[in-house]
Coordinates of all heavy atoms in Angstrom, one line a residue:
M1 N 56.2 70.7 140.5 CA 57.3 69.9 140.1 C 56.9 68.6 139.3 O 57.6 68.2 138.4 CB 58.1 69.4 141.4 CG 58.9 70.6 142.0 SD 59.5 70.2 143.7 CE 60.6 68.8 143.3
I2 N 55.8 68.0 139.7 CA 55.3 66.9 139.0 C 54.9 67.2 137.6 O 55.3 66.6 136.6 CB 54.1 66.3 139.8 CG1 54.5 65.6 141.1 CG2 53.4 65.2 138.9 CD1 53.4 65.3 142.0
K3 N 54.2 68.4 137.4 CA 53.8 68.8 136.1 C 55.1 69.1 135.2 O 55.1 68.7 134.1 CB 53.0 70.1 136.2 CG 51.6 69.8 136.7 CD 50.8 71.1 136.9 CE 49.5 70.9 137.5 NZ 48.8 72.1 138.0
L4 N 56.1 69.7 135.8 CA 57.3 70.0 135.1 C 58.1 68.7 134.7 O 58.6 68.6 133.6 CB 58.2 70.9 135.9 CG 59.5 71.4 135.3 CD1 59.2 72.1 134.0 CD2 60.3 72.2 136.2
A5 N 58.1 67.8 135.6 CA 58.8 66.5 135.3 C 58.1 65.8 134.2 O 58.8 65.2 133.3 CB 58.8 65.6 136.6
L6 N 56.8 65.8 134.2 CA 56.1 65.1 133.1 C 56.2 65.9 131.8 O 56.3 65.3 130.7 CB 54.6 65.0 133.4 CG 54.3 64.0 134.6 CD1 52.9 64.0 135.0 CD2 54.7 62.5 134.1
K7 N 56.2 67.2 131.8 CA 56.5 68.0 130.6 C 57.8 67.7 130.0 O 58.0 67.5 128.8 CB 56.3 69.5 131.0 CG 56.6 70.4 129.8 CD 56.5 71.9 130.2 CE 56.7 72.9 129.1 NZ 58.0 73.0 128.7
W8 N 58.9 67.7 130.9 CA 60.2 67.4 130.5 C 60.3 66.0 129.8 O 60.8 65.9 128.7 CB 61.2 67.4 131.7 CG 62.6 67.1 131.3 CD1 63.6 68.0 131.0 CD2 63.2 65.8 131.2 NE1 64.8 67.4 130.7 CE2 64.5 66.0 130.9 CE3 62.7 64.6 131.5 CZ2 65.4 65.0 130.7 CZ3 63.6 63.5 131.3 CH2 65.0 63.7 130.9
E9 N 59.7 65.1 130.4 CA 59.7 63.7 129.9 C 59.0 63.7 128.5 O 59.4 62.9 127.6 CB 58.9 62.8 130.9 CG 58.7 61.4 130.4 CD 58.1 60.6 131.5 OE1 58.8 60.2 132.4 OE2 56.8 60.4 131.5
G10 N 57.9 64.4 128.4 CA 57.2 64.5 127.1 C 58.1 65.0 126.0 O 57.9 64.7 124.8
E11 N 59.1 65.8 126.3 CA 60.1 66.4 125.4 C 61.3 65.5 125.2 O 62.2 65.9 124.4 CB 60.5 67.8 125.8 CG 59.3 68.7 125.9 CD 59.6 70.0 126.7 OE1 60.7 70.1 127.3 OE2 58.8 70.9 126.7
H12 N 61.4 64.4 125.9 CA 62.6 63.5 125.8 C 62.1 62.1 125.6 O 61.9 61.4 126.6 CB 63.4 63.7 127.1 CG 64.0 65.1 127.2 ND1 63.3 66.1 127.8 CD2 65.2 65.6 126.9 CE1 64.0 67.2 127.7 NE2 65.2 66.9 127.2
E13 N 62.0 61.7 124.4 CA 61.4 60.4 124.0 C 62.1 59.2 124.7 O 61.4 58.3 125.1 CB 61.5 60.3 122.5 CG 61.0 59.0 121.9 CD 61.2 58.9 120.4 OE1 61.8 59.8 119.8 OE2 60.8 57.8 119.9
H14 N 63.4 59.2 124.8 CA 64.1 58.0 125.3 C 64.4 58.1 126.8 O 65.2 57.3 127.3 CB 65.4 57.8 124.5 CG 65.1 57.6 123.0 ND1 64.5 56.5 122.6 CD2 65.3 58.4 122.0 CE1 64.4 56.6 121.3 NE2 64.8 57.7 120.9
E15 N 63.8 59.0 127.5 CA 64.1 59.1 129.0 C 62.9 59.1 129.8 O 61.8 59.5 129.3 CB 65.0 60.4 129.2 CG 66.3 60.3 128.5 CD 67.2 61.5 128.8 OE1 66.9 62.6 128.1 OE2 68.0 61.5 129.7
V16 N 63.0 58.7 131.0 CA 62.0 58.7 132.0 C 62.3 59.7 133.1 O 63.4 59.6 133.6 CB 61.7 57.3 132.6 CG1 60.7 57.3 133.7 CG2 61.4 56.3 131.5
S17 N 61.4 60.5 133.5 CA 61.6 61.4 134.7 C 61.2 60.7 135.9 O 60.0 60.7 136.3 CB 60.8 62.7 134.5 OG 61.0 63.5 135.5
S18 N 62.1 60.0 136.5 CA 61.8 59.1 137.7 C 61.6 60.0 139.0 O 60.9 59.6 139.9 CB 63.0 58.2 138.0 OG 63.1 57.3 136.9
A19 N 62.3 61.1 139.0 CA 62.2 61.9 140.3 C 62.7 63.3 140.0 O 63.4 63.5 139.0 CB 63.0 61.2 141.4
L20 N 62.5 64.2 140.9 CA 63.0 65.6 140.8 C 63.1 66.1 142.2 O 62.3 65.9 143.1 CB 62.0 66.4 140.0 CG 62.4 67.8 139.6 CD1 63.6 67.8 138.7 CD2 61.2 68.5 138.9
A21 N 64.2 66.9 142.5 CA 64.4 67.5 143.8 C 64.1 69.0 143.7 O 64.4 69.6 142.6 CB 65.8 67.3 144.3
A22 N 63.6 69.6 144.7 CA 63.3 71.0 144.7 C 64.4 71.9 144.3 O 64.2 72.9 143.5 CB 62.7 71.4 146.1
P23 N 65.7 71.6 144.7 CA 66.8 72.5 144.2 C 66.9 72.5 142.7 O 67.4 73.5 142.2 CB 68.0 71.9 144.9 CG 67.5 71.2 146.1 CD 66.1 70.6 145.7
Q24 N 66.5 71.5 142.1 CA 66.6 71.4 140.6 C 65.6 72.4 139.9 O 65.8 72.7 138.7 CB 66.3 70.0 140.1 CG 67.4 69.0 140.4 CD 67.0 67.7 139.9 OE1 66.4 66.9 140.6 NE2 67.5 67.4 138.7
V25 N 64.7 72.9 140.7 CA 63.8 74.0 140.1 C 64.0 75.3 140.8 O 63.1 76.2 140.7 CB 62.3 73.5 140.2 CG1 62.1 72.3 139.3 CG2 61.8 73.3 141.6
G26 N 65.1 75.4 141.5 CA 65.5 76.7 142.1 C 64.9 77.0 143.5 O 64.9 78.1 144.0
E27 N 64.3 75.9 144.1 CA 63.8 76.1 145.4 C 64.7 75.4 146.4 O 64.8 74.1 146.4 CB 62.3 75.5 145.5 CG 61.3 76.2 144.6 CD 61.1 77.6 145.1 OE1 61.2 77.9 146.3 OE2 60.7 78.4 144.2

């Protein structure tokens, strides 16, 4: 989840990935 949050953030210049919940990745 941490790796995915950082990857997502790298693809979104103007946003910060502050957090992520397991249901957001299908768990």
